[in-house]
Amino acid sequence: QVQLVESGGGLVQAGGSLRLSCAASGIIFSGSATGWYRQAPGKQREWVAGITSGGNTNYADSVKGRFTISRDNAKNTVYLQMNSLKPEDTAVYYCNAVSPGGWYGSRGDYWGQGTQVTVSS
C-alpha cells in the first residue's frame, strides 16, 4: 500500500546544487513526520533533515545552512534542496516517513529505495 519514491540524485561538482524529491502513495505527508537520511560507502546511515506534520524543520549540523527540507501538500511530496555540495555529501539518500495512520494512511515507519548523490572534487 505505502510507497515512497525518491528522485533527483546524480553527479555534481563541489559547490553545486541538487534537489531531491520524495513522492508518497498510501500515506499523507502533511500528517506525518518526514525526513531524509543518507548512507555513504562503509559508513552507518545518518539522519540529515526532518520536517514534522506541523511544518517544523531541523537539520544535522553537517548540512545546516546548506540544505533545506520542504513539503508540497498538494503534490504529497517532500524535497531536499542541497546547495554548496561537498564531496563528503556523497551518499545514497533515503526518504523516511512515520505515519500516525487513520485519515493520513497506514500507520507505520516507511522508507524509500534511495537515490545516489555523488559530489566530485
Side-chain angles (χ1 to χ4, degrees):
Q1 267 189 297
V2 178
Q3 187 174 2
L4 307 180
V5 180
E6 301 99 333
S7 62
L11 175 65
V12 65
Q13 290 186 320
S17 299
L18 286 173
R19 188 180 73 162
L20 306 184
S21 300
C22 177
S25 60
I27 59 170
I28 304 299
F29 274 149
S30 63
S32 304
T34 306
W36 289 92
Y37 293 73
R38 67 187 182 187
Q39 187 167 21
K43 295 185 178 180
Q44 194 171 8
R45 184 169 57 184
E46 64 175 343
W47 174 78
V48 174
I51 182 168
T52 69
S53 60
N56 295 323
T57 60
N58 211 344
Y59 303 90
D61 289 341
S62 59
V63 306
K64 205 167 190 177
R66 300 187 298 119
F67 291 10
T68 303
I69 187 170
S70 62
R71 183 177 69 230
D72 186 330
N73 292 337
K75 296 181 179 180
N76 202 31
T77 300
V78 295
Y79 303 94
L80 185 68
Q81 178 66 47
M82 305 185 294
N83 298 325
S84 301
L85 283 163
K86 304 174 181 179
E88 49 263 47
D89 295 319
T90 296
V92 177
Y93 284 71
Y94 297 92
C95 179
N96 168 255
V98 179
S99 172
W103 289 104
Y104 300 102
S106 298
R107 181 182 181 89
D109 189 342
Y110 304 99
W111 294 88
Q113 292 291 106
T115 185
Q116 176 71 49
V117 172
T118 302
V119 184
S120 62
S121 300

